[in-house]
Amino acid sequence: MENNLASISKSERTINWFQSHPTVQLQCIHCGENLNLKGKSLICQSNHQFDMNKQGYFFLANKAMSNRYDQALFTSRRQIISQSPLYDALHDKLEIILRPYYSDKSLSILDAGSGEGSHLYRFTQTLGTQHSLIGIDLAKAGIHLASDYNGYILSLVADLTRLPFANKQFDVILSILSPANYEEFNRVLKEEGHLVKILPNAAYLKEIRDAMVKLGYLDNNQYENDSVLEVFLQHYPETKIERVQDTVALNTIQRQALVEMTPLTWRLTDQERQSLLEEMGTTISLDLTILIAN
């Protein structure tokens, strides 16, 4: 982190972010009125109040997700996204896709399903900090970890079914290997905005599936995204489709983190995970479809 941000608290960084990125209007999830920052609270005209916690983020949902998405998973996810080359080809392609839109203005970008904020933080390094980058996730553990990036991005506990934003706020919405709510996306996306959704293809992380089949942990190694793609194209017929493929070498620590974060392996015992690590080899495949809708 830059020294000027590392020297102040997470809550102060969030306040600074609001002061320097006023372009996105937050909305009360209870009454739909605008939320405004007063001290360390977001308050609407009906006096619904959301207080910033000690980590400098806001809880703008009726309830958080309570399941396997814990701090250990998001720590492993950060290791893979930020400290390994696995997603470099995706980030490079997304930067090329976004470049024409930010050449002459600052963008408002929402990462819907941002987890611990690693993808968004990567964009602050490639696109710059002048853009309003906001991440939302219903997993409190992910947003808690994302608070490390306060000041660069804004992270909120929020629900896809009730996004805490006024209408027509975002130039770009990213949905990276996450669920989607197209009705809400359409509501908060600007008329000239772009929805960018990333889907896994058959070869994505195929080494893990192949090894699990060989070890008897999985019945078959087949994967298809046809149904998700079909629904997306029904909503956005004029979609541009691109594909990103790469094969990268991961070290032992990175492979351990990948196994930890991958839902396929969550039901495995520690001994089974170790056997999987020994079987799957050192190279991992990236194979993703990028859907770009206007």
Side-chain angles (χ1 to χ4, degrees), residues 186-253:
N186 291 339
R187 182 180 67 80
V188 302
L189 192 65
K190 293 180 180 178
E191 292 295 341
E192 306 82 12
H194 302 271
L195 171 59
V196 181
K197 184 165 182 60
I198 289 84
L199 302 178
N201 294 323
Y204 178 63
L205 308 184
K206 68 182 180 63
E207 293 79 7
I208 293 179
R209 295 199 305 277
D210 289 346
M212 290 183 69
V213 169
K214 187 172 183 179
L215 292 167
Y217 303 157
L218 193 66
D219 291 336
N220 65 74
N221 61 359
Q222 301 302 309
Y223 175 83
E224 58 87 18
N225 63 19
D226 293 350
S227 59
V228 180
L229 178 59
E230 181 180 356
V231 171
F232 189 93
L233 294 177
Q234 288 173 355
H235 282 87
Y236 310 100
E238 303 298 323
T239 292
K240 181 180 179 182
I241 301 177
E242 300 200 20
R243 190 169 186 176
V244 176
Q245 293 177 291
D246 200 7
T247 302
V248 301
L250 300 183
N251 62 35
T252 300
I253 293 176

Side-chain angles (χ1 to χ4, degrees), residues 60-196:
L60 300 181
N62 290 318
K63 62 179 180 178
M65 182 184 296
S66 178
N67 57 17
R68 181 61 177 76
Y69 291 84
D70 57 15
Q71 185 171 353
L73 181 148
F74 286 112
T75 299
S76 296
R77 190 174 183 266
R78 175 173 290 177
Q79 282 184 274
I80 291 299
I81 296 172
S82 300
Q83 301 169 23
S84 89
L86 182 58
Y87 292 100
D88 285 354
L90 172 63
H91 292 145
D92 291 345
K93 176 62 73 171
L94 288 175
E95 183 183 356
I96 292 171
I97 291 170
L98 294 176
R99 188 178 299 156
Y101 310 133
Y102 71 83
S103 59
D104 59 350
K105 68 173 183 176
S106 296
L107 295 179
S108 54
I109 300 177
L110 173 66
D111 184 356
S114 58
E116 78 301 329
S118 299
H119 288 301
L120 272 187
Y121 183 64
R122 170 70 177 256
F123 291 136
T124 69
Q125 299 173 305
T126 56
L127 305 183
T129 58
Q130 73 274 22
H131 305 289
S132 296
L133 305 180
I134 299 179
I136 64 129
D137 206 290
L138 203 52
K140 186 177 179 180
I143 298 301
H144 185 91
L145 194 57
S147 67
D148 291 345
Y149 301 136
N150 288 3
Y152 297 98
I153 66 176
L154 176 67
S155 298
L156 306 168
V157 177
D159 193 340
L160 283 177
T161 66
R162 182 64 178 92
L163 294 175
F165 308 106
N167 297 347
K168 311 303 178 187
Q169 294 297 302
F170 291 98
D171 297 294
V172 177
I173 295 177
L174 301 172
S175 178
I176 304 175
L177 304 173
S178 297
N181 185 312
Y182 299 125
E183 182 177 356
E184 278 292 89
F185 288 173
N186 291 339
R187 182 180 67 80
V188 302
L189 192 65
K190 293 180 180 178
E191 292 295 341
E192 306 82 12
H194 302 271
L195 171 59
V196 181

Side-chain angles (χ1 to χ4, degrees), residues 25-36 42-50 60-62 162-167 187:
Q25 178 62 60
L26 273 67
Q27 186 180 77
C28 180
I29 61 172
H30 300 308
C31 66
E33 294 180 352
N34 290 346
L35 288 171
N36 295 297
L42 290 169
I43 305 175
C44 72
Q45 290 185 349
S46 296
N47 289 322
H48 295 122
Q49 181 170 323
F50 304 86
L60 300 181
N62 290 318
R162 182 64 178 92
L163 294 175
F165 308 106
N167 297 347
R187 182 180 67 80

